[in-house]
Amino acid sequence: MTHERSKQACSAGKTLSLKDARVNESRNMGCVPDFLTVEIPPYLLNEHYDDRYFDVVNAIEEAKHVFFQGSRLMELFSAMGPGRNAFRIGETGFGAGRVLIALLDFLDDCGLTDIAITYNSVELHPVNFERMAAILGGFRTEVGPLIDLLVRTYSRVEISRPGWHQIQLTRPFGLLTLNLWIGEALEMVHALTIPCDAWFLDGHGPKKNPSMWRHELLLAIGEKTVTGGTCATYTVAGEVRRGLIAAGFSVEQCPGFGGKKSVLKAIKL
């Protein structure tokens, strides 16, 4: 896969001003300026939507805050009860696998064992494994072995073929099975035969990629979520809140992470 359009449009990189930049206290970086200017490398720009794949500031910790805390993963694991170890996650917007890498790191450190995670995700414009490695390279100090593991297994995926592709990863917490749908998000949701326990809504924002947030898709996600299941997303756009409510979720706005003031979490009623 070539990305000449991206390189031409962003050959010198882009700069991003993060207003009211906030940094997690654990980073211990001291005083933070009101405007933090960060250069966005060209390979982080998704040329299909003219938008970066993720925030360039501490994106692994951002994923843990927005998606794992927002969807109350540890509470859901605790509520599974004895004898049940299977847990299903849905994701809209696989990208380069940043949220999956963050999840593997989170689960490796959570102290759980013998958990079987099914991770259903979708990507309409899959990147090749070389670009995946480049995009994730900024996290190598934190999660280098996990990046190598994902890139190595993902390199065997025939990304030019639409439909389901499966990857299995054995980890200290148990087994994670990635079911990656190459194609459109609504097609993936309709193809699911078992509802999910939690959803991570991580496509590009409503202004850049409105089809990822249309009511038809959110309604389908509601139908493919168990009662008491959760979803979480970084966007607090009104149409997304209304769409989730219409899909049967109780929606709450919560504190965000870094330069993002607020995020959403929801529970399926």
Side-chain angles (χ1 to χ4, degrees), residues 204-214:
H204 292 282
K207 291 183 179 180
K208 294 289 187 177
N209 187 15
S211 67
M212 187 65 89
W213 306 95
R214 64 194 190 275

Side-chain angles (χ1 to χ4, degrees), residues 146-179:
L146 292 176
I147 293 171
D148 292 338
L149 174 64
L150 179 60
V151 171
R152 184 171 62 252
T153 53
Y154 179 83
S155 68
R156 305 177 192 129
V157 174
E158 187 183 348
I159 60 174
S160 62
R161 179 175 62 82
W164 289 118
H165 301 263
Q166 188 174 96
I167 291 174
Q168 290 192 325
L169 304 172
T170 301
R171 303 300 305 159
F173 62 82
L175 178 68
L176 184 142
T177 300
L178 167 64
N179 293 321

Side-chain angles (χ1 to χ4, degrees), residues 1 32 57 89 98 181 224 229 258:
M1 176 182 288
V32 179
V57 179
I89 294 171
R98 184 262 310 209
W181 179 274
K224 294 296 175 69

Side-chain angles (χ1 to χ4, degrees), residues 25-81:
E25 291 181 1
S26 64
R27 295 177 64 195
N28 194 26
M29 293 183 63
C31 182
V32 179
D34 289 337
F35 292 86
L36 179 63
T37 301
V38 179
E39 183 175 296
I40 302 176
Y43 55 79
L44 281 184
L45 183 72
N46 186 332
E47 66 275 14
H48 299 283
Y49 304 104
D50 190 30
D51 192 23
R52 66 189 187 276
Y53 278 102
F54 43 74
D55 193 341
V56 296
V57 179
N58 211 353
I60 295 295
E61 294 304 315
E62 177 193 54
K64 293 178 182 180
H65 176 87
V66 174
F67 299 112
F68 313 156
Q69 292 185 30
S71 60
R72 305 185 309 156
L73 280 191
M74 292 306 296
E75 293 180 43
L76 293 176
F77 290 150
S78 299
M80 288 196 301

